[in-house]
């Protein structure tokens, strides 16, 4: 895993200046809408190109599954890397936004074995936070701090698409006194904060979660978080409590590989929530 850690360090050095340059010129940044109404900026494309080039130098012949796909992207080879150049583009293009990150996840036989998350402005005073997972999980070079356990969730990220209706489980969470996050920013960062205590770096303990839930989650929005959850002793499952892993080739070959449901967090909270989902389906 030493070579992977070297790759993560290289990405830190290359991506931070690039992301800061685009953040410093938001007024002239080209931003378009994709068919699903999510945003695509020229920064997304530039960041993805840099990530692809850097990985290809470190691991020639790799296969890539990337959000901003393009003709000619290698769809075969080993190993497989899943890439989201900017998760949270709407936050990235907003001058006040800070919940965005660049994400890379390494798969071995369909299972996440290493990951990288760079959030350039998530830390206190808009300082960068870089999560490296290879032999161990670190946050800004120090061993990642685990979160305390919880029988039922105290805070939960249960984001949903804009203008979508409330779900029945939101009432169950409210009855517990659980604080819920509904508005989508960066799914990856919410998953990171469901398995790693970043409060010393963010000075924001109220942004940590015991539970994460999302429907129709694209693989580049979720697989790194799934891997980190397992590496940190948390649980990641589908809406029926089953592991989504390994990811098979047919799934990864789709244009937009999508998890129907993703649940992650404290094991007890995940079990409780899966039961709530089962009850809602039987009503």
């Amino acid at each position: 895993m030493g070579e992977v850690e070297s790759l993560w360090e290289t990405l830190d050095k290359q991506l931070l200046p690039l992301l800061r340059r685009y953040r410093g010129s938001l007024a002239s940044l080209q931003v378009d809408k994709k068919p699903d109404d999510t945003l695509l900026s020229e920064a997304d494309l530039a960041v993805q190109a840099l990530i692809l080039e850097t990985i290809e130098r470190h691991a020639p012949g790799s296969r890539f599954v990337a959000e901003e796909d393009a003709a000619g992207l290698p769809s075969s080879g080993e190993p497989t890397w899943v890439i989201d150049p900017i998760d949270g583009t709407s936050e990235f293009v907003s001058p006040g936004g800070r919940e965005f990150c660049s994400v890379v996840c390494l798969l071995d036989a369909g299972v996440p074995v290493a990951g990288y998350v760079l959030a350039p402005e998530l830390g206190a005073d808009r300082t960068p936070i870089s999560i490296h997972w290879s032999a161990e999980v670190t946050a800004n070079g120090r061993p990642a701090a685990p979160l305390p356990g919880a029988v039922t969730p105290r805070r939960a990220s249960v984001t949903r698409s804009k203008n979508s209706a409330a779900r029945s489980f939101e009432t169950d969470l409210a009855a517990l006194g659980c604080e819920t996050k509904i508005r989508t920013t960066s799914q990856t960062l919410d998953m990171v904060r469901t398995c790693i205590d970043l409060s010393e770096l963010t000075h924001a303990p109220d942004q940590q979660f015991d539970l994460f839930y999302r429907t129709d989650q694209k693989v580049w929005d979720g697989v790194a978080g799934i891997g980190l959850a397992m590496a940190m002793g948390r649980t990641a499952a589908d809406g029926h409590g089953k592991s989504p892993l390994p990811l098979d080739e047919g799934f990864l070959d789709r244009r937009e590989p999508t998890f129907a449901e993703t649940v992650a967090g404290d094991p007890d909270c995940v079990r409780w929530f899966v039961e709530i989902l089962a009850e809602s389906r039987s009503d």
Side-chain angles (χ1 to χ4, degrees), residues 108-149:
D108 181 13
V111 176
V113 294
Y116 171 84
V117 181
L118 174 63
E121 299 180 23
L122 188 66
D125 300 321
R126 293 187 175 271
T127 53
I129 295 177
S130 187
I131 307 296
H132 294 191
W133 167 36
S134 52
E136 63 176 336
V137 182
T138 63
N140 285 4
R142 300 179 62 182
L147 287 165

Side-chain angles (χ1 to χ4, degrees), residues 103 105 188 191-192 195 221-230 236 264:
V103 187
C105 186
T188 298
M191 295 187 80
V192 166
C195 59
D221 291 324
V223 71
I226 290 170
L228 284 167
M230 297 187 305

Side-chain angles (χ1 to χ4, degrees), residues 31-40 90 162-163:
V31 182
D32 299 308
K33 269 193 176 183
K34 294 191 282 189
D36 62 359
D37 283 336
T38 58
L39 300 182
L40 172 64
S90 61
K162 187 177 180 181
N163 299 324

Side-chain angles (χ1 to χ4, degrees), residues 44-87:
D44 291 87
L45 299 175
V47 170
Q48 177 163 300
L50 181 57
I51 293 173
L52 293 173
E53 292 168 5
T54 303
I55 293 175
E56 185 62 29
R57 287 198 302 270
H58 278 72
S62 290
R63 173 194 189 187
F64 298 106
V65 178
E67 178 171 17
E68 314 308 342
D69 205 351
L73 201 64
S75 59
S76 62
E78 289 293 337
T80 298
W81 307 83
V82 182
I83 299 164
D84 191 344
I86 301 178
D87 181 22

Side-chain angles (χ1 to χ4, degrees), residues 7-48:
L7 172 60
W8 300 159
E9 292 171 357
T10 299
L11 287 175
D12 277 341
K13 294 174 183 176
Q14 295 184 334
L15 291 180
L16 269 173
L18 182 62
L19 289 163
R20 285 170 174 162
R21 188 170 81 238
Y22 278 110
R23 281 284 286 171
S25 57
L26 291 180
S28 60
L29 186 70
Q30 180 178 340
V31 182
D32 299 308
K33 269 193 176 183
K34 294 191 282 189
D36 62 359
D37 283 336
T38 58
L39 300 182
L40 172 64
S41 75
E42 60 181 297
D44 291 87
L45 299 175
V47 170
Q48 177 163 300

Side-chain angles (χ1 to χ4, degrees), residues 222-245:
V223 71
I226 290 170
L228 284 167
M230 297 187 305
M232 293 299 295
R234 309 292 262 188
T235 295
D238 65 12
H240 300 276
K242 298 179 180 179
S243 173
L245 304 174

